[in-house]
Amino acid sequence: MSDLEKPLRPKKARSWVDWAVQFRWIIVILVVLPCSFTFYSLDYLRSQWSASKSYKKRQKEHDANVAKVIKRLKERDPKKDGLVCTARKPWVAVGMRNVDYKRARHFEVDLSPFGQILDIDTKNMIARVEPLVNMGQISRATVPLGVSLAVVAELDDLTVGGLINGYGIEGSSHIYGLFSDTVVAYEIILADGRLVRATADNEHKELFYAIPWSQGTLGLLVAAEIKLIPVKEYMKVTYIPVRGSLRDLAQAYIDSFCPADGDQDSADKVPDFVEAMIYNRNEGVMMTGRYASREEAKQRGNKINEQGWWFKPWFYQHAQTALDKGEFVEYIPTREYYHRHTRCLYWEGKLILPFADQFWFRWLMGWAMPPKVSFLKATQGDAIRNYYHERHIIQDMLVPLHKVADALEFSDREFEVYPIWLCPHRLFRTPIKTMITPEPSFELYQRQGDTSYAQMYTDVGVYYTPEPVFRGEEYDGAAAVRKMEQWLIDNHGFQPQYAVTELNEHDFWRMFDATLYNACREKYRAVGTFMSVYYKCKKGRKTEQEVKQEEQKVHDNGYKDLERPLDA
């Protein structure tokens, strides 16, 4: 989009909040980084202590904790106690939502003990883990064994429970789908205190397909069995610079992992990992990765990049060098590749600590990075939190692959945010219609990346301060997000609900399919015990009375304007 097409915005007068945000790095250096480093160190020791326990001991502790949760649920009096939610503090969650539902009176259930890896079964290639196990913890335990989760979300802090109940993606999702698509069984405590195991082919198959994206509003997840895959010691990464229009960049991205002959299931033609970073409206770098053995990586002439060292350049800046030096190939240790965006929080670290990417800081303080997101949230206060909602963008747009170019042009027009992260994922056709589904009859068009059983989608990740804010202009981030949400609805896209949403209830259920979710809410008696997914995600403070009234509306009216299934 040319400068002449950009909307004209008046200048904005600076307030004390602008100054507080600009100099927030002082609090980060003095408070957040020391607290973060201490937490990470203690968390590492805790996970090592857990790993040293026998399988029987971990299972015994798990069973005891499950019994405590069931007992706690049965203590609840529906007539006077609030709706059930976890005892986790609102600022602890990695997502950007305000978690306003916890500001109303509610009935807390403590799930904090559920942070152990229960079993890694390399024979059946299944990992059984509790919901608070994070990606750093699971990759630390699996990669040395030559196995890994099929989808390992990039940030260490992301938990299994959050990635299942919410949303999770990685560079391997163009093969395996979203994180929840790699789960083979859920262990759920229902509203009535029953513990059930849901799989795709047992009596709880409806619940199995309804859990993803439900935000924990159907029951309490206490364990999951997740698919493992064999991996090698290194990732061979190819960096391909591309210049041209946004449409040229989008097509180059598609071509980087979608064979022209449509053979999307060929291991020889499709890389193991894919991502792209669009640095501005005319330049981007496409990255593909393939697992490689130690022997291959150490062959004469090959370059090894130990990306995990604290003093290394941030990954997105390292990848950007391809624009100057051209295409190149290197080998990164597999676990370090998985978590390549952790230390810099993609590129948000540049805003939090403007000088943290400098050579001197990386050497002196890089070992303390990244600041823990929950501690950043705990120290920001309502004024700064609201500032980020209005003057900052952290959103993901899940769009059909054939609409990536349109999404990039929309983002450039409404957000003016760069870099942009692109990561593909399969959206499978499932036996039971879930909250997110492919476009109707997508397979008839035989588009690049699609197969008969899955449509290829892409996460268009927009994380940064918009250019108008840097220019000192007025900018209404909430209005831009509302436009994005309507664009997604019109283009069969989806908005992950870790982010702040401006959707009203009607539009929420235009974006997502309520059919299976509502059926499971009623079948498993979640109504009146757990709040609905919309009211858990909606923006703004809520009273207990408001939530209860809305829950009763769901129970009585059943979204009568939406399709309802028969009781399963």
Side-chain angles (χ1 to χ4, degrees), residues 64-292:
N65 289 327
V66 168
K68 290 178 183 177
V69 171
I70 293 174
K71 180 176 182 292
R72 173 67 173 159
L73 273 178
K74 290 183 176 180
E75 291 173 350
R76 176 177 173 267
D77 183 351
K79 295 181 180 180
K80 66 177 183 179
D81 291 325
L83 296 168
V84 173
C85 62
T86 68
R88 204 177 188 191
K89 298 301 181 185
W91 50 267
V92 172
V94 176
M96 299 310 296
R97 274 191 292 121
N98 295 348
V99 197
D100 286 315
Y101 61 89
K102 288 191 177 181
R103 300 189 181 201
R105 187 167 67 85
H106 55 272
F107 185 83
E108 291 188 345
V109 177
D110 185 12
L111 296 184
S112 61
F114 290 88
Q116 295 197 96
I117 299 172
L118 299 174
D119 189 31
I120 298 174
D121 184 349
T122 55
K123 179 179 179 181
N124 295 308
M125 298 299 280
I126 296 292
R128 182 166 175 259
V129 302
E130 293 180 325
L132 293 186
V133 169
N134 63 40
M135 292 298 98
Q137 183 180 350
I138 190 69
S139 66
R140 193 160 48 238
T142 56
V143 173
L145 301 177
V147 297
S148 172
L149 299 184
V151 175
V152 182
E154 291 91 345
L155 302 184
D156 287 25
D157 262 3
L158 298 175
T159 63
V160 167
L163 296 168
I164 288 172
N165 283 310
Y167 155 81
I169 194 172
E170 226 295 39
S172 58
S173 290
H174 66 296
I175 298 173
Y176 302 105
L178 297 177
F179 187 88
S180 55
D181 293 318
T182 68
V183 178
V184 298
Y186 302 109
E187 294 175 34
I188 303 286
I189 298 176
L190 302 176
D192 60 4
R194 284 185 297 147
L195 175 66
V196 301
R197 181 175 180 270
T199 70
D201 54 8
N202 72 1
E203 67 271 27
H204 300 295
K205 62 183 179 181
E206 296 96 343
L207 183 62
F208 175 84
Y209 285 108
I211 288 295
W213 294 75
S214 69
Q215 300 290 335
T217 60
L218 297 172
L220 299 174
L221 178 70
V222 292
E225 297 169 31
I226 309 173
K227 181 190 303 182
L228 293 171
I229 61 170
V231 299
K232 298 177 181 179
E233 296 90 346
Y234 283 84
M235 188 68 65
K236 180 183 178 182
V237 185
T238 303
Y239 303 82
I240 306 170
V242 179
R243 288 182 170 86
S245 67
L246 287 173
R247 292 197 165 272
D248 293 333
L249 300 181
Q251 189 58 52
Y253 158 72
I254 294 171
D255 292 340
S256 71
F257 69 98
C258 295
D261 61 5
D263 192 3
Q264 199 63 40
D265 292 319
S266 170
D268 294 329
K269 300 176 183 177
V270 178
D272 297 319
F273 276 76
V274 179
E275 69 176 331
M277 281 178 270
I278 309 301
Y279 290 97
N280 55 59
R281 62 182 58 87
N282 299 118
E283 295 180 320
V285 175
M286 316 300 145
M287 285 154 282
T288 60
R290 291 184 178 275
Y291 287 109

Side-chain angles (χ1 to χ4, degrees), residues 518 522 553-562 564:
N518 284 340
E522 294 182 2
K553 184 180 74 172
V554 174
H555 183 65
D556 292 341
N557 297 337
Y559 296 110
K560 59 187 178 183
D561 59 326
L562 298 171
R564 293 289 304 274

Side-chain angles (χ1 to χ4, degrees), residues 535 538 540-551:
Y535 283 94
K538 69 175 287 194
R541 298 194 181 200
K542 296 172 277 290
T543 65
E544 179 194 1
Q545 180 180 5
E546 177 191 5
V547 175
K548 280 190 171 182
Q549 286 174 344
E550 295 299 336
E551 287 287 349

Side-chain angles (χ1 to χ4, degrees), residues 442-480:
F442 71 89
E443 71 280 4
L444 300 180
Y445 297 93
Q446 299 182 341
R447 297 186 183 99
Q448 218 172 339
D450 293 350
T451 62
S452 61
Y453 57 87
Q455 184 177 13
M456 195 66 72
Y457 266 61
T458 281
D459 181 340
V460 180
V462 186
Y463 329 119
Y464 213 57
T465 297
E467 283 299 323
V469 176
F470 285 128
R471 296 194 296 262
E473 299 171 357
E474 290 283 358
Y475 185 81
D476 189 342

